[in-house]
Every structure is written in C-alpha cells, then in structure tokens.
Amino acid sequence: MKKIVLIFLTLLLVNLNSSAFAQEDIRALHLTWSEDTKSTQTITWQMHEFNPNIRVEYGEIGLPADFSKKVMADIEPFSDETGVKHIYHVTLQGLKSNKEYFYRIVDGDTKIKEANFKMGKNLDSCDFLVFGDSQSYNYKVWGETLKAAYAQNPNAEFFVNVGDLVDNGQRISEWENWFLNGKDIMMHLPIVPVVGNHETYTPQKGIFSMPKYFTSQFVLPQNGPEKLKEQVYSFDYANVHFVVLDTQFGEERSFVPDSLERQIEWLKKDLAETDKKWRVVFMHRAPYHNRVDKGFDQTIKFVPIFEEFNVDVVFTAHDHVCARTPAMRAGLLTDDGVIYATTGRSGTKVYQTVIKKEWNSTFLNPLDEPTYSMISVNEKKFTVKVLSQSGKLIDKWDIDKF
Ligand SMILES: [Fe+2]
C-alpha cells in the first residue's frame, strides 16, 4: 500500500513539475512601443525558463473572442549577476485606435496570465504621465506614486520615466522591485523609459557600464544612432513627436566617446523630418539645472538644436525638483521659445542642496512627498499639471498654439 501511495505522489509531483507555468513565473510584465504607436503594442515579460511554446493570444474587447490571433514570443537570454533568465516579447500588429484589447500569455492549453490595454483615443490629442527619478531604498514608494497618479488621472494613455529608474542599474534586485511595485499598472499602461546616470552604475563603486540591464529589459524603437540604440529614440503619438536622449556622456565615455556628437547629428535629422504640431524631448540631465556648484551642464549643447527645430518642451530629471523655466531662446525670454521642466522625484531619494536658479520661473523641492506631472495635449493647447503623490496641485502651466 505504501508503495502505491509513493508511486501516486511521485506521479503527482512529476505532473505538477511538467504542467504549465504558474502566474508567479511571469515577472516584469509590461508594455512599451517598439513600432508604430497607432497600430501596435509590444508586450514584454521575464521567465527563468526557456519555453519556445509560449504564445500571446489577443483580441478586441467587445467582439466575439477570436483565438486565431496569436503570436509566438521572441525569446532572448538575459544574464544578470544572479544567472541567466529569459526575456519574452511580442509586438501585436494591426490594432485600431480607440479600442480596448485583451491579451493572454498561453503555454499549450494553459492560460498563464491575462490583462488588457487601450489604444490611443484619437490622432489630435493625448494625455500622459511623467515621473522623475524613481530610484529608491524602498520601491514601494515608487509603486504608490505610480498607482496614485494613474488613479487620479485614469485618462492617461502612457507614462514616461525620465531616468534614474533605479539606484544601481546593474543590480537586478532593484529592477525586480521596480517592476514588482509597478506591475498592476505596467501590464496595462505603456512605459516610455529614459536612461539616467544611475542606469550606468554597477555594484562596484566608480565603475560604470553601458546601461545593459535597461536595454535588455525594455523593448524600444531601434531608430536611434549606432551604439546608442534604445537609449536614444523617437516616436510619434497622436499629434506629438517625442524624442528620448541619453545624457550620460561622462559615465559612458569609455564605451561611446562621441556620444554627444552622435546624438547632435541624429537629433538634427530626426527633428527636421517631423511634421508633428508638438515636439517634446525627454532627457535625464538638464541644461538649466538646480545644482549649487555647477556651470552649465553639457546638455546645453543640445539647446541650439531644440531652438532651431521649435521644440516646445524639454522634460528633465536628475535634480529631484519640480522646476521650470519660462520659454527661452538664446538664453533670453521669448513667447515662442523652449520650456525646460524638471519633473520632481517619484521614489524616496531627495536632495537638500538644490536651489532655485535665475532661470526658474517656478521651483519646489519636494522633500515632503513624491511628485509627478500630468500632461494633456490637444490641437491648440499643451497643458502641464505638477502634482504631489496625494494629489495636491503644485504647478500648472500651458502653451497655446494656433
Ligand atoms: Fe540622476
């Protein structure tokens, strides 16, 4: 009898081990765009195992379920300091504006995970959230900022994180916590991530790396300059052309010594080719910053290009303050210049030594609670609201364009 029970238990264990993956095996599930934002959606997640049978089924919500729509996942190995895991990603094609879709990750006959997302509402307007520096000693705070911001602004169509997502970019536990605390939002709301200096840090103090964990984990547009792909990219969403730059010229010097020159050349071409009404740049470091002991940041070399190609707003981070300039051109105030807005902090880290500078029209150092920005763009107006995690309005400004 004992022998029969043992055989039964053994068979049960073998069956459990060989059955489909549990939901817990899906990690860091999130949405990005790597292709056209009007008709595609990229879905990415991580699993320890390599399983070539994993696929994504999807369909429009409200229509009869059609499971003929399926995409096999692309799988790429990802080595971190703890070993090898696998990045799975698919890009759904042929999606329609203003529709909601479900997607489900499937292994054989077993559904592992299901979620949904919405495509952009229309081509003339958009709403999105912007977060600065989520680097934290406790990423629960970052998750709470993200959840609060989306709860307060459920019309947001995506969110941007303007760099220093984590405190040490080559330490996987930080990324695990970053994704884990944001997972309830990130599986529904696309992320536009920007590289910060901390994404180049390694566990060895003073030793920098290219931001490998960042570029491995996010699937992003490949239209940036050589050697900087996925750290530098651009895309269109509704009536806005968005550009993401990499300001880690110092940290990445030994890998890409001409990073600034490469980006300047690429940026001129990129901005010359767009016909979008609004042009918005995201980059981590600010030309008009808030540090006490510093001249202009090297990013000042981008400024003439922003001005030549009529960029409307440059969103930055790094100083952990909510600050902005008036519209500026050649260092002077003007009605149709570029506005530089620094986007506060969404995690735990604060600075005591940052100050209001002569170029700031507004300034707040958010020592008491994290902050974020909500942006609404339509054909005539670009509106920015800066809010605290608890929903308190810190600043509101807009740009009119006819
Ligand atoms: Fe930074």
Side-chain angles (χ1 to χ4, degrees), residues 46-48 75-87 169-173 175-176 203 209-217:
Q46 299 176 17
M47 299 174 83
H48 277 292
I75 310 173
E76 291 165 33
F78 169 46
S79 298
D80 62 38
E81 74 273 25
T82 63
V84 180
K85 54 185 66 142
H86 294 89
I87 309 277
Q170 269 55 237
R171 187 180 286 141
I172 198 62
S173 60
W175 288 104
E176 288 169 353
S209 162
M210 286 298 272
K212 287 184 294 198
Y213 287 18
F214 176 99
T215 49
S216 296
Q217 294 184 99

Side-chain angles (χ1 to χ4, degrees), residues 6 17 39 98-99 130 149 161 167 178 207 215 240 256 258 260 283 339 371 401:
L6 192 62
N17 283 337
S39 61
N98 205 22
K99 299 290 182 192
V130 180
N161 192 313
D167 197 55
W178 189 86
I207 304 293
T215 49
V240 188
V256 190
D258 58 349
L260 179 61
M283 60 183 194
I339 293 176
T371 60
K401 199 186 275 192

